Amino acid sequence: MPLIVKVSDLDKYFGRLHVLKKVSMDVAPREVVCIIGRSGSGKSTLLRCINFLEEPSFGTIEVDGIKVEIGHKGKARRELVHEVRLKTGMVFQEFNLFPHMSVLENVIEGPVTVKGMPKEQAVELAEQNLDSVGLLFKKDEFPNRLSGGQKQRVAIARALTMEPKVMLFDEPTSALDPELIGEVLNVMKKVAKDGMTMLVVTHEMGFAREVADRVLVMADGEIIEDAKPDNLFSKPNDPRTKALIDRYRTGGS
């Protein structure tokens, strides 16, 4: 089966700070991969490099057959990056909804302005995705009338309406009150069950154990473990992984 995401020897520097160090990873279609690790380990930077929200320093990124060699410049390279971004839906820690637009307007903005989708088609698709996340009845509301969990569910519907091949979730529950986390995780479980390829940076160990096909552990800018959840959580190979899991079990951060 062809891979849908392939990252090879990825390096990222912020000035002299070496944040990602020769990171390589593969993701198969329909696979759910969770990425865990302590703050500052490079998890979010890796995700943001995959769709070029951060410019990688060295290496190669390939998404659904679109291969981008890091370091090349020019129009052809910009077009490749644009294609990669069209294939990757991104859900952030903060919801990034436009406050002056209704829920429906937020969800159709990308397909209409970026992809050139006819508005009628975008509205139909948006309403399907809002219904899928349980928020079709809120389509005419504005973001300031929504809870944090509802805002994040709208953000997921917005990303899905771009019809991506891969969904990237960057700690999507970290800005939510504890009582709202479950509703977002349930929507993510549904997206996974529907067959979407997902890369999820998360602190939610229960979600990783239940939903992920594989769990990657990052430390100091490197992937130190890559295993199936049951193996990783029951018999971690690296002492840093064991310390990470033990800290979450005892309520640490």
Side-chain angles (χ1 to χ4, degrees):
M1 180 183 294
L3 299 170
I4 197 163
V5 176
K6 185 175 181 61
V7 176
S8 303
D9 294 329
L10 183 67
D11 278 283
K12 173 61 182 175
Y13 288 86
F14 289 108
R16 294 184 178 181
L17 185 62
H18 198 180
V19 179
L20 296 177
K21 304 170 184 175
K22 297 293 181 187
V23 172
S24 296
M25 60 173 290
D26 299 335
V27 183
R30 303 174 67 92
E31 193 172 25
V32 177
V33 177
C34 285
I35 306 172
I36 65 174
R38 299 188 67 170
S39 296
S41 60
K43 309 182 302 295
S44 293
T45 301
L46 172 58
L47 217 63
R48 293 171 68 87
C49 282
I50 288 173
N51 72 346
F52 293 90
L53 287 175
E54 293 288 355
E55 183 63 34
S57 302
F58 302 100
T60 305
I61 292 171
E62 185 173 343
V63 178
D64 194 33
I66 306 300
K67 186 174 183 179
V68 183
E69 300 279 357
I70 310 308
H72 293 192
K73 303 294 182 183
K75 182 180 178 182
R77 199 261 191 184
R78 289 195 298 271
E79 289 175 349
L80 289 176
V81 168
H82 180 68
E83 286 189 59
V84 166
R85 287 175 174 162
L86 288 177
K87 291 176 180 290
T88 54
M90 186 87 177
V91 178
F92 302 89
Q93 297 178 33
E94 300 294 340
F95 324 114
N96 294 345
L97 300 179
F98 295 112
H100 62 288
M101 292 182 177
S102 70
V103 163
L104 183 63
E105 289 169 338
N106 265 280
V107 176
I108 68 171
E109 177 69 12
V112 171
T113 61
V114 178
K115 295 181 71 174
M117 186 182 292
K119 185 175 179 180
E120 296 79 8
Q121 181 184 346
V123 168
E124 182 179 357
L125 188 56
E127 289 182 343
Q128 289 174 8
N129 286 315
L130 285 170
D131 189 41
S132 179
V133 303
L135 288 175
L136 181 57
F137 74 106
K138 293 284 190 180
K139 69 176 184 177
D140 296 321
E141 294 280 10
F142 285 81
N144 65 354
R145 300 289 300 274
L146 304 178
S147 70
Q150 289 172 334
K151 290 176 184 176
Q152 194 61 293
R153 285 152 63 194
V154 170
I156 293 171
R158 176 180 59 184
L160 289 171
T161 303
M162 289 293 288
E163 301 180 296
K165 294 298 184 74
V166 183
M167 285 282 283
L168 309 176
F169 293 86
D170 185 9
E171 299 193 26
T173 60
S174 64
L176 299 178
D177 293 333
E179 65 271 16
L180 301 177
I181 290 174
E183 68 183 72
V184 173
L185 293 179
N186 285 337
V187 167
M188 292 171 63
K189 290 174 186 176
K190 184 178 186 303
V191 172
K193 189 175 180 180
D194 289 343
M196 176 61 70
T197 307
M198 294 168 56
L199 265 168
V200 184
V201 170
T202 185
H203 288 101
E204 299 295 333
M205 297 296 175
F207 176 87
R209 188 162 198 162
E210 178 184 350
V211 181
D213 297 297
R214 286 160 48 221
V215 178
L216 309 185
V217 185
M218 293 195 68
D220 302 318
E222 300 176 309
I223 295 174
I224 61 171
E225 294 212 45
D226 178 349
K228 291 186 177 299
D230 286 347
N231 294 338
L232 184 93
F233 287 104
S234 62
K235 293 180 291 186
N237 290 322
D238 193 293
R240 290 170 291 180
T241 304
K242 185 178 186 304
L244 179 73
I245 293 170
D246 288 345
R247 188 166 65 253
Y248 283 113
R249 282 173 178 159
T250 58
S253 60

